[in-house]
Amino acid sequence: MAFWPHLLLAVLEGTVAAAVLALSALGLSLVFGVMRVVNVAHGEFFMVGAMLAWWTAKMMPGGPLAGFIAALVAAPVAVGFLAFLTERLLLRRINYDPEATIVATIGLLFVLQQLALSVFGADAKPVAAPFTYRIAFPWFGFSGYKIFVVAASLMLLLAVWWVLARTRIGLVMRVTQFDRETATAFGIPVNTVYAAVFVAGAALVAIAAVLIVPIQQAHYLMGLDPLLMSFIVVIIGGLGSIKGSVVAALIIGLADGIISMFFSPTLAAIIATLAVAIVLVVRPQGLYGVPVR
């Protein structure tokens, strides 16, 4: 292929990566934006979602499509319940202290990782795509499932934006984010809001895992990359900024796809890391973050 077909393929692959990354980073950004804590086990929630997607697809009769639909329901519910237990039994007991939360979720990361290794084993788990339709371009064929991943991610991102910007639930979350004490004084159940936000963040990353696992095999160590890339996205976009997370995910995803296509994935990772360093020096609050007063 000539340059332009290669570029088109790189943009398509980068868009798929950006769509999944935006969902993953959105969950992390949502938790930090409202609760002001960093969930270091975020990547392991992704891994658990992927493993449950593999197990559900394997056990579900009716073929890949039925297994995918079942996984799309079961994995977010199961990971959301795991997040609910984490919030109730761990984060609430340490009163959402930011430093203690980092230490506690690091411990949870290793626990979940070793449990996945013990239960599912060390082998990578392939999952069949729900459909195999390919879109024919003049130079190559492209997976229709990957286009579906982009469309599904976009719909979920729009749904989250609508909830946050247009509903009473979103208003309650914004009030809680702005001032916990004032929200409590006005009768808002802050602990309930925190639990709901933590569950929603985990469910979003689990959905991202279900969407990506037919493209990338499930593995008990697969949570590291989503965690690292999500941190890169929320730092560049601005901690707590939904818009910033989406824009940064698009930038990182497209850059990764194009640089990996024409140079190497290692160079793409190096450039992403340098971008974080530059943003921290030039604009510490990120592209759309609010400066700390």
Side-chain angles (χ1 to χ4, degrees):
M1 288 190 296
F3 171 78
W4 292 111
H6 275 101
L7 180 61
L8 175 60
L9 180 59
V11 169
L12 289 172
E13 293 289 355
T15 303
V16 175
V20 176
L21 181 56
L23 278 183
S24 302
L26 180 60
L28 187 66
S29 184
L30 190 64
V31 169
F32 179 85
V34 176
M35 301 174 64
R36 297 299 175 187
V37 296
V38 177
N39 176 22
V40 183
H42 189 71
E44 301 317 304
F45 287 163
F46 181 95
M47 178 272 295
V48 172
M51 286 295 190
L52 289 175
W54 166 79
W55 183 83
T56 304
K58 179 182 177 182
M59 301 301 294
M60 186 72 181
L65 180 58
F68 176 79
I69 294 173
L72 204 53
V73 174
V77 170
V79 175
F81 182 69
L82 174 62
F84 175 76
L85 293 178
T86 301
E87 192 275 337
R88 281 297 176 95
L89 302 178
L90 192 62
L91 302 188
R92 188 172 297 191
R93 290 178 180 273
I94 58 178
N95 198 30
Y96 312 104
D97 179 76
E99 291 80 10
T101 297
I102 292 175
V103 175
T105 52
I106 288 175
L108 179 62
L109 180 156
F110 289 111
V111 169
L112 292 177
Q113 195 176 93
Q114 293 306 309
L115 281 175
L117 175 61
S118 301
V119 174
F120 298 108
D123 296 333
K125 317 293 184 184
V127 177
F131 52 89
T132 57
Y133 176 76
R134 296 185 69 81
I135 299 173
F137 289 94
W139 313 278
F140 55 81
F142 193 75
S143 169
Y145 175 73
K146 291 183 178 181
I147 300 298
F148 165 78
V149 169
V150 175
S153 299
L154 180 60
M155 287 190 294
L156 278 170
L157 291 170
L158 289 173
V160 171
W161 170 83
W162 182 81
V163 169
L164 293 177
R166 304 295 184 185
T167 68
R168 186 177 183 276
I169 295 174
L171 177 61
V172 168
M173 290 171 59
R174 294 197 304 274
V175 171
T176 304
Q177 174 185 0
F178 180 74
D179 192 323
R180 177 180 176 179
E181 286 72 22
T182 301
T184 303
F186 277 90
I188 294 175
V190 172
N191 287 341
T192 302
V193 174
Y194 281 1
V197 167
F198 200 72
V199 168
L204 282 172
V205 78
I207 293 173
V210 176
L211 291 175
I212 201 63
V213 79
I215 303 172
Q216 300 176 0
Q217 296 181 352
H219 190 264
Y220 81 101
L221 292 175
M222 72 182 300
L224 178 60
D225 282 347
L227 175 65
L228 177 60
M229 296 305 294
S230 294
F231 271 121
I232 289 175
V233 166
V234 297
I235 289 172
I236 292 176
L239 284 168
S241 171
I242 306 301
K243 180 181 178 181
S245 295
V246 174
V247 171
L250 187 61
I251 294 171
I252 293 296
L254 289 176
D256 181 74
I258 294 171
I259 294 170
S260 297
M261 173 67 70
F262 291 102
F263 298 98
S264 73
T266 302
L267 179 61
I270 292 172
I271 291 176
T273 305
L274 286 175
V276 171
I278 293 171
V279 168
L280 288 175
V281 171
V282 176
R283 189 176 172 84
Q285 72 270 25
L287 296 177
Y288 295 95
V290 178
V292 178
R293 292 181 173 85

